[in-house]
Amino acid sequence: MAFLEIEHLRKSFGTLNVVEDFDLAVARGEFISFLGPSGCGKTTTLRMVAGFETPSAGAIRIDGKDVTEAKPNQRNVGMVFQSYALFPNMTIADNVGFGLRVAGRPAAEIKSRVEEMLALIKLPQLGGRYPYQLSGGQQQRVALARALAVKPKLLLLDEPLSALDAKIRVSLRQEIRQIQRELGITAIYVTHDQEEALSISDRIVVMSQGRMEQVGTPFEIYNYPRTRFVASFVGTLNVLKAQVVDVSGKLTVDGQPVATAAHLDGTRPGEIRSVALRPEAVSLADADGESNRLHGTVEEVSFLGSVVRIRVRFGENAVSLDTFNKPSVPPPDRGTKVTVSFARDALLLLDGDAT
Amino acid sequence: MKRAKIGPWIALFLGTLYFIVPLIATFEFSLRMRRGEYSFDAYAVVLADARFQATFGYSTALAFATIVVGVLLVVPTAYWVNLRLPKLRPVIEFITLLPLVIPAIVLVFGYLRIYNSESWLPMTSSERLTDLLLTFGYVTLALPYMYRAVDNGLRAIDVRTLTEAAQSLGAGWPTILFRVILPNVRVAVLSGAFLTFAIVIGEFTLAALLDRPAFGPYLQLIGANRAYEPSALAIIAFGVTWACMGLINVVGRASHGQTPKAP
């Protein structure tokens, strides 16, 4: 049985459906990310799990116990907020020990637990300071320690790194993941940053307009996006309009034949469909006979340092491709006629029609 | 460049004169009770007057009662409006501003009409009940200041997130209100409290028309019948008010270390 079960969860504000039919089973110790743009319903879903929003329909069970109607302070769920939400009137040690004091734990136990938590976040010497005396990264680590001090069943993190600068974001996300693994706690992490979600999650739930678009491991989400939205939101992606020639996998892109490795189930010959192609899967180099080839003209060349991004146009469609910078091989000029190649399995058919 | 700076200084100088000269004149006059030399005789007379002690004590007691009722009324209201009913804020703000628009004399006639000894709630029938009515009247008069002070304090902190953080750590409403929210708006509550104190100490209309022995009517009585003592009383009243303002500043500075840093 899953540790956290979310069944047919729905949330409406008036006539507006913010979350629709959200279904998810999370295993004990799993790290799940809710990924999506602003307004996709990811934070609302998290807030329903925390108890700050009441679902319009559906059920939430934590460790087999139905908490759908339970108050936030009865769920034993730790929460880390984007704005840290440390209590400004309390010292760091008092902040970390707040939940334990509320629970009426003995003073000696609170003291030792606070010390343990401060050691866990590598800030053992800062217990006597006030939140305003700490940097943003330090405050967020304290917020994490405060949430973990009460030994919650579930750790919820609502865009915890959004207010921090890029370098700290990377180091702190690794730290969060390491602590989560160390404690074996089940965690849900809300973010709009796909790199963040891909790098730390066991599984990702991609959301759009209140719906779950796809649930899968970072590898699955990135390499096998099921919808056009997932494909475009996760990573950079070329989306091409292709005409189906044969459901066995034959298509044309601007009149040039290409083939997919898989069958084009659910399509009809003559139909225009969207296909996706990752920039790193496309190459300017010559390829073996099995690969797809498209002839086009270099439209744009962007020199990005170690990588050169080249845009090649075929007609209505164009693809961006990434090549490593080689000092001995200068990038092609704009207007140069080139042939691009890519493997058959790199071409992915997306759900829905191309319009 | 230098010439451009002279203008503001002149304005500041004239402004200071406008406030300071009458004050100095009043102070100087209050020292003239003894013929031919300056003395604090007027102050000694005032401070030794049993009615001064009684009325000042009465007004101080009522000021504290007003502060307690005001804080209990305003803090939970402003907190709830900030947390759950932000759309009601303009309505609440309008209501709290009404005492500035409706003169105290209108208010007290309204009170007398509704709560007179013939009414269904005869709050003027005994002295204690009238004191209670007066306290509620003071709470109304101080409402614009108390509400604004507390509301500003609440807006300076992230009420919703702090509440949710405390809730997720197992805290119930009393813990959240008294251990998380109130300590973080302490300075704002104290500002409101001191302003309330200053208003109540000098208030005349409500106390006079409800016939209670407050400091305001005493000031008026002395002013109408004596020469030097009213000036001494005016200076004492200034002193009390300024002391309140000074305390707001001191408390504000003392808790500077607790100001949250914006994320």
Side-chain angles (χ1 to χ4, degrees):
Chain A
M1 192 173 68
F3 183 72
L4 168 68
E5 293 165 285
I6 303 174
E7 284 176 5
H8 306 297
L9 203 64
R10 185 167 65 80
K11 178 69 186 175
S12 311
F13 292 111
T15 54
L16 183 71
N17 283 340
V18 183
V19 177
E20 289 179 64
D21 204 26
F22 191 100
D23 253 315
L24 184 70
V26 182
R28 192 186 290 270
E30 202 175 10
F31 196 113
I32 298 272
S33 288
F34 292 173
L35 174 66
S38 297
C40 72
K42 57 189 190 299
T43 295
T44 307
T45 308
L46 188 86
R47 289 173 61 78
M48 284 193 276
V49 175
F52 301 136
E53 302 283 354
T54 313
S56 305
I60 300 165
R61 276 189 292 279
I62 300 173
D63 204 7
K65 189 180 163 196
D66 192 329
V67 295
T68 317
E69 301 292 326
K71 289 177 182 169
N73 57 355
Q74 294 164 349
R75 297 191 180 204
N76 196 15
V77 162
M79 180 101 175
V80 177
F81 299 84
Q82 183 183 344
S83 58
Y84 325 136
L86 295 180
F87 306 129
N89 57 312
M90 296 180 202
T91 62
I92 298 309
D94 287 343
N95 263 283
V96 175
F98 180 83
L100 298 166
R101 280 202 306 282
V102 167
R105 310 306 306 170
E109 183 191 323
I110 295 174
K111 190 168 176 285
S112 76
R113 181 75 179 151
V114 167
E115 281 170 6
E116 188 189 335
M117 284 294 112
L118 290 178
L120 184 74
I121 57 162
K122 301 186 183 77
L123 296 174
Q125 72 286 8
L126 298 185
R129 296 217 189 152
Y130 282 93
Y132 79 96
Q133 294 171 307
L134 269 57
S135 70
Q138 288 173 325
Q139 288 191 54
Q140 198 56 297
R141 278 148 79 189
V142 173
L144 179 67
R146 182 181 65 177
L148 292 170
V150 290
K151 298 183 180 169
K153 288 183 170 176
L154 199 60
L155 179 64
L156 308 177
L157 304 111
D158 185 10
E159 307 213 24
L161 308 179
S162 299
L164 302 171
D165 62 56
K167 247 185 176 170
I168 294 172
R169 272 213 300 270
V170 173
S171 66
L172 197 51
R173 81 182 180 215
Q174 287 162 352
E175 210 171 312
I176 288 173
R177 179 61 161 145
Q178 190 197 330
I179 289 172
Q180 182 267 337
R181 275 205 181 108
E182 216 171 293
L183 302 177
I185 190 168
T186 313
I188 298 181
Y189 189 101
V190 163
T191 181
H192 60 263
D193 184 333
Q194 41 119 350
E195 187 192 316
E196 217 166 85
L198 290 170
S199 65
I200 59 172
S201 317
D202 289 320
R203 280 194 300 156
I204 298 173
V205 179
V206 185
M207 294 181 69
S208 166
Q209 297 181 326
R211 287 189 309 274
M212 299 169 87
E213 290 278 330
Q214 190 174 349
V215 184
T217 63
F219 184 84
E220 288 165 354
I221 296 282
Y222 188 85
N223 292 306
Y224 305 107
R226 275 216 297 270
T227 65
R228 188 190 171 98
F229 174 81
V230 176
S232 60
F233 191 75
V234 181
T236 314
L237 196 85
N238 296 299
V239 178
L240 309 172
K241 282 182 185 173
Q243 187 168 23
V244 178
V245 176
D246 188 322
V247 290
S248 67
K250 287 181 184 156
L251 304 126
T252 58
V253 172
D254 291 322
Q256 302 186 52
V258 289
T260 58
H263 274 250
L264 303 171
D265 294 334
T267 65
R268 293 186 308 276
E271 194 183 355
I272 304 284
R273 293 295 294 260
S274 292
V275 288
L277 198 54
R278 294 269 179 218
E280 63 269 27
V282 189
S283 149
L284 273 182
D286 233 354
D288 59 60
E290 281 290 298
S291 290
N292 289 305
R293 285 186 189 79
L294 286 170
H295 307 287
T297 310
V298 173
E299 187 180 59
E300 191 66 60
V301 178
S302 308
F303 187 72
L304 307 172
S306 61
V307 169
V308 181
R309 179 158 291 176
I310 300 165
R311 189 166 174 81
V312 178
R313 183 161 287 282
F314 313 111
E316 193 193 343
N317 292 294
V319 296
S320 286
L321 62 100
D322 291 347
T323 60
F324 281 115
N325 171 35
K326 287 183 202 148
S328 56
V329 185
D333 293 326
R334 286 175 59 207
T336 310
K337 301 281 182 198
V338 291
T339 300
V340 300
S341 59
F342 47 91
R344 288 181 170 201
D345 60 4
L347 198 62
L348 303 168
L349 180 74
L350 301 175
D351 288 351
D353 59 24
T355 50
Chain B
M1 196 69 177
K2 272 192 174 176
R3 189 173 290 173
K5 282 187 178 174
I6 291 176
W9 281 110
I10 291 174
L12 185 69
F13 178 71
L14 289 176
T16 310
L17 277 186
Y18 183 83
F19 287 107
I20 290 284
V21 167
L23 198 62
I24 292 174
T26 307
F27 180 61
E28 198 264 355
F29 186 72
S30 73
L31 300 176
R32 284 193 186 196
M33 196 173 186
R34 199 176 298 173
R35 281 186 187 279
E37 59 176 312
Y38 285 138
S39 73
F40 285 97
D41 286 359
Y43 293 87
V45 170
V46 165
L47 293 172
D49 186 350
R51 287 176 302 170
F52 168 82
Q53 291 161 15
T55 56
F56 195 79
Y58 177 83
S59 283
T60 304
L62 248 66
F64 280 117
T66 304
I67 288 165
V68 170
V69 176
V71 168
L72 289 177
L73 178 72
V74 167
V75 174
T77 308
Y79 171 64
W80 205 247
V81 168
N82 268 283
L83 187 67
R84 292 285 152 88
L85 307 165
K87 281 184 186 164
L88 267 188
R89 179 177 279 146
V91 179
I92 303 287
E93 280 191 352
F94 176 75
I95 292 170
T96 59
L97 278 177
L98 281 179
L100 291 182
V101 184
I102 300 169
I105 187 94
V106 175
L107 200 70
V108 74
F109 273 115
Y111 280 176
L112 287 173
R113 195 169 172 78
I114 294 173
Y115 302 116
N116 65 56
S117 48
E118 308 283 301
S119 78
W120 60 277
L121 191 59
M123 290 196 73
T124 52
S125 59
S126 79
E127 286 187 353
R128 288 288 79 81
L129 279 174
T130 312
D131 289 344
L132 200 61
L133 184 62
L134 187 56
T135 304
F136 292 156
Y138 285 157
V139 170
T140 309
L141 286 186
L143 200 58
Y145 308 98
M146 182 59 102
Y147 187 83
R148 240 139 225 85
V150 173
D151 191 47
N152 283 342
L154 285 169
R155 285 198 211 193
I157 60 171
D158 188 348
V159 170
R160 187 172 137 168
T161 315
L162 288 180
T163 302
E164 290 178 353
Q167 278 182 314
S168 72
L169 292 165
W173 289 116
T175 310
I176 293 169
L177 204 55
F178 290 105
R179 277 164 72 176
V180 176
I181 300 300
L182 205 53
N184 285 308
V185 292
R186 196 188 63 193
V187 177
V189 170
L190 281 173
S191 300
F194 290 132
L195 286 171
T196 303
F197 187 82
I199 290 166
V200 173
I201 287 295
E203 206 283 328
F204 168 77
T205 317
L206 285 185
L209 287 166
L210 288 175
D211 194 26
R212 298 305 298 141
F215 191 57
Y218 172 71
L219 274 180
Q220 191 274 334
L221 182 74
I222 299 295
N225 298 302
R226 301 288 185 86
Y228 302 102
E229 288 88 337
S231 302
L233 272 173
I235 294 297
I236 290 171
F238 266 118
V240 171
T241 312
W242 283 5
C244 285
M245 300 301 171
L247 274 174
I248 296 175
N249 271 326
V250 170
V251 173
R253 276 193 206 136
S255 60
H256 181 71
Q258 296 178 12
T259 308
K261 191 181 176 182

